[in-house]
Amino acid sequence: MSDSDGQAHEPAGLEGLPPLHSISKGEVVSVQTYGAFVRLPGYKKEGLVHVSEMSASRVENASEIVDMGEKIWIKVIGREIQGDKVKLSFSMKAVNQGTGQDLDPNNVNGDQDQRRRRKFRDHTGNRITLEAVLNTTCSKCGCKGHFTKDCFSTPGLQYALVPEEDDAASRQQQPLLTPAVAPQLDSDKKKKKKKEKKMKKKRKRERKESGERQQQQHQ
């Protein structure tokens, strides 16, 4: 089940490694949270089965799937040279663990996974951090970064701001309304208008009744 044709044209630095897309049975020699390292018979270099390559379902910890010393089927999905080190990547989910059959013979799923990983690395390498600083100075305390109203804001209380000294003369002590008071005044105005309307109707009815009584007396 090995791809022996690929060994004839090995890139420099990859000699003596299992062929790409070859399938073998190896032994788990180390289990980490992020994956398991597997050693293949006849090769000194170990390869990593990342948790994302262990199952089609999401895996949080490699210990949920494999144990130390366990024999598993793997498919070689990556061989990279990073500096002076060679990195081997294996996949379990691409192989039937019972028969060793290749579940992705055309490597379609593997190529898609690699493209997604490359795209993820490219876009997360340059993270953008947004930090906003309020470019204003409080006229009360003289500190930068907040408005004057923030000096008076207290959680749970609703108070109106005391006007600045230069504004106080022009306003001539006009009543200060808070958002909590305004609805109450509107309600009081409505009640007053309603009461006045009732009084007008009452007076009109009384005048009408008085006129009728006077007319009856004259008759």
Side-chain angles (χ1 to χ4, degrees), residues 3 22 30-31 44 48 51 69 79 82 93-94 111 117 127 130 158 171 173 196 205-206 211 213:
D3 186 8
S22 63
S30 176
V31 180
K44 295 181 180 180
L48 173 66
V51 286
R79 303 188 310 168
Q82 297 181 346
K93 69 180 183 180
D111 291 343
R117 280 194 290 269
R127 294 185 178 180
L130 297 178
Q158 295 182 345
R171 295 187 184 182
Q173 298 181 350
E196 289 176 353
R205 187 173 59 252
E206 289 176 350
R213 283 196 300 269

Side-chain angles (χ1 to χ4, degrees), residues 104-115:
D104 186 21
N106 297 321
N107 306 311
V108 175
N109 295 332
D111 291 343
Q112 289 178 347
D113 288 344
Q114 284 190 358
R115 281 197 294 270

Side-chain angles (χ1 to χ4, degrees), residues 179-210:
V181 175
Q184 181 65 34
L185 291 178
D186 291 340
S187 177
D188 291 342
K189 287 181 179 179
K190 290 180 181 179
K191 290 180 180 179
K192 186 176 181 181
K193 288 182 178 180
K194 191 174 182 180
K195 187 176 180 181
E196 289 176 353
K197 192 174 181 180
K198 286 183 179 180
M199 291 298 294
K200 287 180 180 179
K201 287 183 178 181
K202 185 177 180 181
R203 294 193 197 101
K204 187 176 181 181
R205 187 173 59 252
E206 289 176 350
R207 285 196 300 268
K208 185 178 180 181
E209 292 174 354
S210 177

Side-chain angles (χ1 to χ4, degrees), residues 35-134:
F37 289 92
V38 179
R39 181 183 297 128
L40 300 181
Y43 298 97
K44 295 181 180 180
K45 182 66 180 176
E46 300 169 0
L48 173 66
V49 182
H50 191 264
V51 286
S52 62
E53 291 294 336
M54 287 187 166
S55 172
S57 304
R58 182 178 176 83
V59 179
E60 297 292 341
N61 194 316
S63 61
E64 300 173 7
I65 305 296
V66 296
D67 295 317
M68 281 279 294
E70 185 178 353
K71 300 291 181 68
I72 60 173
W73 287 101
I74 61 91
K75 182 175 183 177
V76 182
I77 60 172
R79 303 188 310 168
E80 300 178 76
I81 300 177
Q82 297 181 346
D84 57 347
K85 295 183 179 180
V86 178
K87 179 182 177 182
L88 284 176
S89 301
F90 299 156
S91 174
M92 286 178 61
K93 69 180 183 180
V95 188
N96 186 311
Q97 293 301 309
T99 63
Q101 179 184 359
D102 191 345
L103 300 179
D104 186 21
N106 297 321
N107 306 311
V108 175
N109 295 332
D111 291 343
Q112 289 178 347
D113 288 344
Q114 284 190 358
R115 281 197 294 270
R116 279 195 293 268
R117 280 194 290 269
R118 281 197 298 269
K119 186 176 181 181
F120 179 78
R121 286 197 297 266
D122 293 343
H123 285 279
T124 55
N126 300 321
R127 294 185 178 180
I128 300 175
T129 303
L130 297 178
E131 295 183 359
V133 177
L134 196 59

Side-chain angles (χ1 to χ4, degrees), residues 134-179:
L134 196 59
N135 186 21
T136 185
T137 303
C138 176
S139 59
K140 279 294 180 184
C141 65
C143 297
K144 293 185 177 181
H146 67 271
F147 293 111
T148 305
K149 65 179 182 180
D150 295 329
C151 284
F152 300 93
S153 298
T154 305
L157 298 179
Q158 295 182 345
Y159 292 109
L161 293 178
V162 176
E164 302 289 342
E165 292 181 359
D166 54 347
D167 294 337
S170 60
R171 295 187 184 182
Q172 294 181 352
Q173 298 181 350
Q174 293 182 359
L176 299 174
L177 302 179
T178 64

